[in-house]
Amino acid sequence: MNDQQIAALLAAAPKEPEPPLPPGLIEGLVPAARRDVRRRRATAALCAVVALLLGTGALLIPGGDRDAAPARPSPGKAAGLPDRIAGYSPLTGSVSAAPPGRALLLYGYGNSEMLRTYQTLVLGADADVYRQLDAVPERTKPWLLSPDGRTIVLSEPDREVAEVRVVDLETGQVRQVPVPRPGGVVPLALSPDGNILAYSVVDLASVAEEAARDAGNYVEWYATGHGELMLLNLRTGQATGTGLVPVSAAAFAPDGQRLVVQSELRTWLIGLDGQRQREVMVPQGYGITVHNAWSPSGLLLAVVPWRSEGVGSHRVYLFDSGTPGAVRTVSLAEPSALRGTADTETFLGWLSDTEVLGHAWDYGSDTGALSAVPLDGSPARVLSTFDDSHRCELGMQRCVPYEISVAAGLLPGLGTRTAESADRGPWPVGFQVAALATVAVLAAVVWLVRRRVRRRRAGDATS
């Protein structure tokens, strides 16, 4: 375009002055622009929060096949114990939602000074995997972890049952195995392969309304003085009676072909056919430990002092726990002689024929430790400690472990490892619902904000 054309266009332009701007337009431009920027930033932030929560919710909800078995350990791989056991967390997932695989420990954890904050937990044998045993929520004994750590047997502490429950830790499934005679059932011992359950059964109709009824585990309390020993094949459902009454404790031999049983203040060897083979003449006043009394070699038994007590006619037989040095060992070849002393408060099982696994408390800090305790009187070696932080009852109390059951078959050759970040699995359903509800509320807020912004923009444009 040349200069003449430009001049012609300018000459043809209207000569009237431009219309005036609306009143206050210039003064309102900057505040309006700032409001628009703030709205955009707020909307972007809310969208980011919602996207984050949606992503988190997707990760929390278990996916895939619930029955899929977790990765199996390498053949011959020894179990491991973290040097520090993780603390209480209500966000720990359940066995049924995310099976942990074989477990090393089964224990209760929590406190109830003012508020009940308890969990029943399993700790994996091959990694720092923690799961809540949802088949027995907020329950204490009776429970029993199999020697190979792959199953758990459950009964009820305060009522008559017609079956025991078996939890498969590799699939999360629970199955019921009927018992031939309903009653108060106390699991005592499992064979090394986890197939044979030794348990005591008692007729609860004969229990008087006395102090035993007031105890949380009165079935177990009463059965020590009145329960009959039974052997139950958990695969076939076949039961074998022994006629041995009462029974307080039992332990299978390492080969699984017989078991040692405590009846009152006498100790017996029983075959899988239910017949007594012979009496073991342990020192007077002693009897086998409640769990895992038989050593890995099959040559030794762990024994503790036993005493009898009762209310009226309800006489029961109890071992003296909480006394340092209470655990002794005897040889099956010469059972009348005490062979060694384990200076520990609670006997859990055998690490070898010369060391046992014990649980003891540090009363100064309320922390518990798992230790390898030599039988020759040498100092114990601490293998692992329980988290001692104030996590229970809204941070007002320390959490404490109780009723620890170990996979006895995994203890020989047990290694320790540096504790890693705890794998707690997917959040429990209640927390998942709460998280998704929060996401829904935030999404509704974002929608309302965006709707309000659009309406304001529409109003500004019309004005």
Side-chain angles (χ1 to χ4, degrees):
M1 180 178 293
N2 54 34
D3 294 341
Q4 293 179 351
Q5 292 173 328
I6 292 175
L9 286 174
L10 291 175
K15 304 302 182 181
E16 295 81 5
E18 294 182 2
L21 295 173
L25 176 63
I26 299 299
E27 294 79 0
L29 282 178
V30 174
R34 289 176 177 172
R35 286 195 300 271
D36 186 66
V37 170
R38 287 196 295 267
R39 290 169 186 164
R40 290 177 182 273
R41 288 177 179 175
T43 302
L46 286 174
C47 289
V49 170
V50 171
L52 177 62
L53 290 176
L54 285 173
T56 304
L59 292 175
L60 294 176
I61 299 176
D65 184 2
R66 288 178 49 158
D67 297 332
R72 294 178 178 272
S74 302
K77 178 182 177 182
L81 178 68
D83 59 6
R84 189 170 185 81
I85 298 176
Y88 173 92
S89 173
L91 301 182
T92 305
S94 65
V95 168
S96 62
R102 68 174 186 170
L104 181 63
L105 298 181
L106 166 65
Y107 60 102
Y109 202 56
N111 211 323
S112 61
E113 292 289 336
M114 297 179 62
L115 305 173
R116 182 174 177 83
T117 50
Y118 272 138
Q119 295 177 319
T120 302
L121 298 173
V122 293
L123 169 60
D126 304 296
D128 291 8
V129 176
Y130 298 82
R131 296 289 186 271
Q132 293 196 66
L133 186 60
D134 51 327
V136 57
E138 296 188 1
R139 260 317 162 153
T140 58
K141 292 195 326 179
W143 59 46
L144 203 59
L145 179 61
S146 66
D148 60 8
R150 301 188 185 279
T151 57
I152 295 172
V153 174
L154 302 170
S155 185
E156 295 287 346
D158 53 6
R159 67 180 181 88
E160 179 180 284
V161 299
E163 72 281 322
V164 294
R165 286 169 292 163
V166 181
V167 182
D168 190 323
L169 296 178
E170 295 187 319
T171 66
Q173 294 181 334
V174 181
R175 59 188 178 93
Q176 285 76 35
V177 181
V179 295
R181 190 176 88 216
V185 172
V186 180
L188 297 174
L190 280 165
S191 60
D193 59 6
N195 288 337
I196 307 298
L197 171 67
Y199 71 94
S200 67
V201 59
V202 63
D203 181 11
L204 295 184
S206 60
V207 180
E209 297 290 338
E210 298 184 22
R213 283 283 189 182
D214 298 328
N217 290 333
Y218 79 86
V219 169
E220 187 175 21
W221 184 90
Y222 185 70
T224 63
H226 303 80
E228 177 184 354
L229 177 67
M230 299 289 292
L231 303 178
L232 177 65
N233 190 311
L234 297 176
R235 295 191 179 277
T236 66
Q238 180 180 358
T240 302
T242 66
L244 185 61
V245 180
V247 59
S248 306
F252 278 88
D255 62 6
Q257 297 305 305
R258 56 180 179 164
L259 61 160
V260 61
V261 178
Q262 189 67 33
S263 178
E264 297 182 330
L265 299 181
R266 303 177 71 180
T267 307
W268 298 91
L269 290 179
I270 305 291
L272 295 185
D273 58 359
Q275 300 300 311
R276 303 183 199 184
Q277 297 178 349
R278 68 179 176 90
E279 184 176 358
V280 181
M281 304 303 295
V282 300
Q284 185 176 4
Y286 282 83
I288 62 171
T289 54
V290 176
H291 297 302
N292 307 323
W294 217 313
S295 73
S297 68
L299 300 177
L300 301 173
L301 294 175
V303 297
V304 291
W306 282 77
R307 57 185 171 83
S308 63
E309 67 174 30
V311 179
S313 61
H314 299 301
R315 182 161 297 280
V316 298
Y317 297 86
L318 306 173
F319 72 97
D320 288 329
S321 61
T323 303
V327 180
R328 309 287 196 272
T329 59
V330 297
S331 168
L332 284 170
E334 301 177 79
S336 60
L338 296 172
R339 291 303 182 94
T341 300
D343 187 3
T344 185
E345 293 178 27
T346 303
F347 171 88
L348 298 177
W350 293 83
L351 295 167
S352 68
D353 274 22
T354 59
E355 279 189 325
V356 301
L357 180 66
H359 175 237
W361 288 100
D362 176 357
Y363 290 97
S365 60
D366 288 339
T367 59
L370 300 178
S371 301
V373 186
L375 296 176
D376 60 3
S378 301
R381 297 180 295 110
V382 175
L383 302 179
S384 181
T385 57
F386 286 87
D387 185 277
D388 63 348
S389 60
H390 285 77
R391 295 175 180 264
C392 286
E393 301 190 48
L394 303 179
M396 295 184 292
Q397 297 292 336
R398 294 186 186 276
C399 301
V400 295
Y402 63 99
E403 304 295 357
I404 302 173
S405 179
V406 302
L410 303 182
L411 295 184
L414 178 70
T416 58
R417 59 177 182 266
T418 302
E420 299 178 349
S421 178
D423 172 4
R424 297 188 183 274
W427 286 5
V429 174
F431 285 94
Q432 292 183 25
V433 171
L436 292 177
T438 302
V439 169
V441 170
L442 288 176
V445 170
V446 169
W447 179 80
L448 291 173
V449 170
R450 292 181 63 86
R451 182 181 180 187
R452 188 172 181 181
V453 169
R454 287 196 298 267
R455 286 184 174 180
R456 287 188 176 179
R457 286 179 178 173
D460 292 343
T462 56
S463 62

